[in-house]
Amino acid sequence: KPNGFSYLLSNGLYNNFVNYVNDVAKLIVDAGMTPIAFNDGIYYKNTTNCGAFSKDIVVSYWENSGTASASFIAQQGHKILNTNKSWYYVLGSRASWAGLETAKKGVQNTPVTSVQGDDGSVKPIGAMFCLWCDFPQNSYNETEVQNVKSLMTTLSNKNSTYFTPVVP
């Protein structure tokens, strides 16, 4: 079943996506806000021949598998907000790529200035820690609250030159 950015690109429809994203970004800018988009579809596979994305869009860069590199997107004139997938946490997930233990290792070992898909040229404008609720049937309880607080505290304390350390 065809879907996704590869489908748009291979069927000559990616420019429609670029135009749509730019139209939405303009609405956001006109409302006095800053548009932010995850990197997945921005210059997908380094495609520039289907139009340029608005430079007003801050790109929240989280992963680089098949997407344009953070360096490439920055070279197109976009600010990069680091949302490194090493910190990715799906509440209640037991999947190795999205579970609590992986997120713990990520916040412990991945500095907030380390951007996936960067050749060393990207200076992120900040960092964002994402939590996802892919399993809404799971209850969100005090244990999860403490897990999230612990992850945020560790990320802050491990990057004390970037953040003001949090005292638990």
Side-chain angles (χ1 to χ4, degrees), residues 105-122:
K105 287 177 191 163
V107 298
Q108 185 78 304
N109 300 318
T110 308
V112 295
T113 54
S114 176
V115 179
Q116 295 247 341
D118 174 25
D119 64 9
S121 64
V122 174

Side-chain angles (χ1 to χ4, degrees), residues 11 28 109:
N11 287 283
I28 294 167
N109 300 318

Side-chain angles (χ1 to χ4, degrees), residues 117-132:
D118 174 25
D119 64 9
S121 64
V122 174
K123 301 272 188 267
I125 62 167
M128 182 171 71
F129 182 82
C130 293
L131 305 171
W132 298 96

